Amino acid sequence: QVQLVESGGGLVQAGDSLRLSCAASGRTFGTYTMGWFRQAPGKERAFVAGIHWSGSSTYYSDSVKGRFTISRDNAKNTVYLQMDSLKPEDTANYYCAARRGSAIAGQLGEYDYWGQGTRITVSS
């Protein structure tokens, strides 16, 4: 079992930066591939970024590529999402997720564990 707790959300202005954290329980965090998803009001949850369990590879959705950076610290059981140049369309609930497989996956069903989410609102 892995429990995930996101933090770092809030209200920011367009162009600002924010860093989300996702703290995981359990001693096997370093074996899980991690992902960040987001769900805007009235929309489906969508993939944002993913990182291999080793941290050696990452993958981003086109909408955040070049602005967001995913990273992890396996010694701290934490995965991060650094978000720069935020836009109003980035407003959403952000969720971290963990999967046992080594490949970075973009589909919700590929992930085994989910956090409760943290809200980000970007004002124009």
Side-chain angles (χ1 to χ4, degrees), residues 5-107:
V5 179
E6 302 95 336
S7 62
L11 173 63
V12 297
Q13 293 186 334
D16 284 352
S17 297
L18 204 60
R19 188 176 81 158
L20 303 183
S21 299
C22 174
S25 65
R27 289 178 284 182
T28 59
F29 172 77
T31 65
Y32 285 84
T33 291
M34 301 297 295
W36 283 98
F37 289 74
R38 67 186 181 186
Q39 187 167 16
K43 296 187 177 181
E44 296 185 348
R45 195 171 299 188
F47 175 80
V48 173
I51 186 167
H52 187 262
W53 60 264
S54 68
S56 61
S57 64
T58 58
Y59 189 77
Y60 300 90
S61 68
D62 288 341
S63 62
V64 306
K65 196 175 299 180
R67 299 188 298 121
F68 291 11
T69 304
I70 188 172
S71 62
R72 66 190 298 160
D73 185 339
N74 287 345
K76 295 183 178 180
N77 279 17
T78 303
V79 62
Y80 305 96
L81 186 67
Q82 176 66 42
M83 303 180 292
D84 299 321
S85 302
L86 283 162
K87 304 175 181 180
E89 51 263 44
D90 295 318
T91 294
N93 287 325
Y94 284 72
Y95 301 87
C96 71
R99 68 183 304 266
R100 297 185 184 91
S102 60
I104 298 171
Q107 302 300 316

